[in-house]
Amino acid sequence: MPKSEIAILDFGSQYTHLIARRVRELGVISRIYPNNVKAERLKNACGIILSGGPRSLVRDARLPFDKKIFTLSAPILGLCYGHQLMADFFGGRVESGKAREYGLAKLSVSASPIFSGVSKNTVVWMSHGDHVDKLPFGFTPIASTGNRSVAAMQNLSKKFFGFQFHPEVNHTKEGKKILANFILNICGAEKNWTTETMLDQIEKNIKKEAGGKNVFLLVSGGVDSTVCFALLRKVLGEKRVFGLHIDSGLMRLDETKKIIAALKRLGDNLRVYNAEKEFLSALKGVSDPEQKRKIIGDLFLDIVDKVMAEPAKGGSGRKKLTGDKWLVGQGTIYPDTIESGGTKNADVIKTHHNRVPRIKQMIAEGKIIEPIKDLYKDEVRAIGLKLGLPQKLINRHPFPGPGLAIRCLCSEGSNDAGSIVPDLVGAVEPTIWRLPIKSVGVQGDERSYAHPAVITGPLPLYKGEAGWGYYQSLSPKITNAHKDINRVLLLVSGDKKSLPKATLKKAYLTKKRLDLLRKIDDIADSAILTDKQCQKIWQMPTVLVPFGHKHGESIVLRPVESEEAMTVSFGVIPSPTLKKIIKKIHALNAVDFIFYDLTNKPPGTIEWE
Ligand code: XMP
């Protein structure tokens, strides 16, 4: 059998799955293995990639790996931590702190087959504190960013390469070309990964994992669970798949009605359960984001248990979840597992609601089936279209399982008002404020929980679209310069003179707050969905923050452009649409400030919590 696979050894990078996805985009099958996988298991690999990771070779113990991988005669590419690991292993030196680089960097490259067709001066994405300071034996440098670190190196006779930068993220301008050079030219991989082969593989897995069991699937109505529903029905047949939609009360305006209409077309085996009261009472008085997710994940399971114990039509009585006839199905996809620390060495950024401890326990007991857990959103969408699902449904913006609960920020309250931050970045006009609120972010593969900065002008609304370009370069400068700031907001509406008077109020999840958020979310979402110029916006959370001076509430608009949710650029809403949204929100007379989130990912995650 010809070697066909690219094996990725996972050292815990938030980008490990993104690397896998980039390989698959080239039509080549990629698989992720733990860092210490035995070399014998990689016999099918025509190439190996060592991922990055949050550990430091200088401060932490070296993560174990089988050194026989270097004798498999497969080309190897080390990225970030993987690059440093290779340098260290072959006798080079890794140092800490002296050449930190986060964000875009200019790279000049030398002649090498891995840079074939790449511009001599290009732009790459860096995210590292440690660096390779001395080359290992047998390697030559092949690129530089002008500082003392080895940005890229090769041992051409062995076909070993190392990059400090990340070719897998979109911000690396010619990253796809560089990876294609490695995978197709240097490794000689075959292009055999298509929607058809993917579908074939998934169908085989469903048959194998389900065996003779039926599946009880939680359908939120989003793309992922709908595709799962259709897939399971196709493979197991209508009678063996039971869909349960739980209306948690945390859904968007009229969401459940729309979901029922769409899903009923897929079949009748669907039950809708209204659990608004149960969810609101379980979440009463809770402000911690991780705690909210845990409560929501657990309550979903309690309700599954309850519904399964109810007698079915005809009175035969379904078996309880603990019986061996049923599996619980979930539409989990790759990013959900990776950001929950799903791979062994990764830092936990957020525990996704379908990775809470009780579900993990059920996974270990073989009670959960997740047919699309190895796929990215765009692969799920391709499969959905192949299965004949309507385009409109397939192209919906992603909506998180915990719903508006993670977009309705809660707080124990604080008397701290915003404070002015020293301008370390030469921002000419705007004053920079630090707000007392906190939100989750990701930087250098680690979780952050820090403050947003607010800049108060000049608005692109008045400066024209050119204003956005200014903020695109200002925003990363602010988050790089201030350690306690992981987001940058633009004040697009509200009296800036009132910012010093505004404080963080005590607030929890209540129906009143959720209803307000639902209304505002609907205003913002409908406006961007009907504006053709907003088609690049991949998702737009609208966040309610208990911060203000009169109403005690503010709104953050968080439009993002992304392909896969792992890296993100903030999206642009054209001024006429933005003005319309602002006007309609203010007409509700319920919020003090409207902010526009100008943060990329990293350093800010898409959702605030
Ligand atoms: P972040 O905020 O981590 O979001 O950048 C990445 C993507 O994941 C979605 N998300 C979730 N989806 N359960 C989900 O099903 C969760 O707990 C959860 N948290 C975030 C988010 O909407 C975005 O598309």
Side-chain angles (χ1 to χ4, degrees), residues 385-453:
L385 289 177
K386 188 101 196 147
L387 293 175
L389 295 174
Q391 187 112 28
K392 205 169 160 201
L393 199 150
I394 292 301
N395 290 332
R396 293 182 71 188
H397 283 181
F399 187 63
L404 298 180
I406 54 168
R407 295 181 179 174
C408 190
L409 261 56
C410 301
S411 159
E412 300 300 328
S414 144
N415 289 327
D416 296 345
S419 52
I420 291 186
V421 177
D423 178 7
L424 303 178
V425 294
V428 194
E429 287 179 73
T431 308
I432 307 173
W433 288 82
R434 181 182 41 229
L435 295 192
I437 320 160
K438 279 188 171 179
S439 79
V440 179
V442 55
Q443 205 155 11
D445 281 327
E446 286 168 22
R447 180 186 201 266
S448 69
Y449 193 51
H451 298 281

Side-chain angles (χ1 to χ4, degrees), residues 304-353:
V304 169
D305 250 339
K306 197 156 113 182
V307 174
M308 289 195 75
E310 287 173 359
K313 272 187 207 149
S316 58
R318 276 185 215 102
K319 275 227 166 140
K320 259 190 78 85
L321 190 60
T322 43
D324 357 300
K325 271 260 156 82
W326 289 89
L327 292 175
V328 171
Q330 297 199 118
T332 316
I333 61 170
Y334 249 172
D336 300 350
T337 51
I338 180 70
E339 300 217 345
S340 295
T343 65
K344 217 173 65 208
N345 303 304
D347 215 28
V348 177
I349 310 297
K350 289 172 188 175
T351 308
H352 276 221
H353 77 292

Side-chain angles (χ1 to χ4, degrees), residues 345-366:
N345 303 304
D347 215 28
V348 177
I349 310 297
K350 289 172 188 175
T351 308
H352 276 221
H353 77 292
N354 42 19
R355 278 291 174 276
V356 296
R358 211 164 124 199
I359 298 227
K360 281 195 179 158
Q361 172 71 25
M362 288 174 72
I363 293 174
E365 291 167 0

Side-chain angles (χ1 to χ4, degrees), residues 206-213 236 240 327:
I206 292 178
K207 274 193 197 132
K208 197 167 127 210
E209 283 176 36
K213 293 177 188 167
L236 303 177
R240 291 179 57 194
L327 292 175

Side-chain angles (χ1 to χ4, degrees), residues 220 224 290 293 296 331-333 335-336 339-340 349-356 377 397-403 406-407 440 442 487 538-539 541 558 560 564-568 601 604-609:
S220 68
D224 308 335
E290 285 286 288
R293 277 201 175 76
I296 292 168
T332 316
I333 61 170
D336 300 350
E339 300 217 345
S340 295
I349 310 297
K350 289 172 188 175
T351 308
H352 276 221
H353 77 292
N354 42 19
R355 278 291 174 276
V356 296
K377 202 77 170 189
H397 283 181
F399 187 63
I406 54 168
R407 295 181 179 174
V440 179
V442 55
R487 263 177 215 275
W538 188 82
Q539 191 180 19
R558 169 74 170 133
V560 297
E564 55 339 75
M566 303 301 287
T567 58
V568 157
K601 172 182 178 177
T605 48
I606 296 178
E607 308 285 351
W608 268 48
E609 291 202 324

Side-chain angles (χ1 to χ4, degrees), residues 132-192:
V132 174
D133 201 55
K134 190 183 123 217
L135 277 169
F137 180 71
F139 283 75
T140 51
I142 50 171
S144 160
T145 57
N147 66 17
R148 56 189 288 171
S149 77
V150 177
M153 62 182 191
Q154 71 179 15
N155 178 330
L156 204 48
S157 61
K158 290 195 181 309
K159 298 188 181 168
F160 294 163
F161 302 84
F163 298 160
Q164 185 54 69
F165 61 92
H166 290 270
E168 69 277 21
V169 307
N170 272 334
H171 304 283
T172 296
K173 222 169 142 197
E174 297 176 89
K176 287 182 185 168
K177 199 182 284 171
I178 297 170
L179 285 176
N181 284 338
F182 177 69
I183 290 154
L184 302 177
N185 303 343
I186 295 168
C187 302
E190 277 178 47
K191 288 183 167 213
N192 55 9

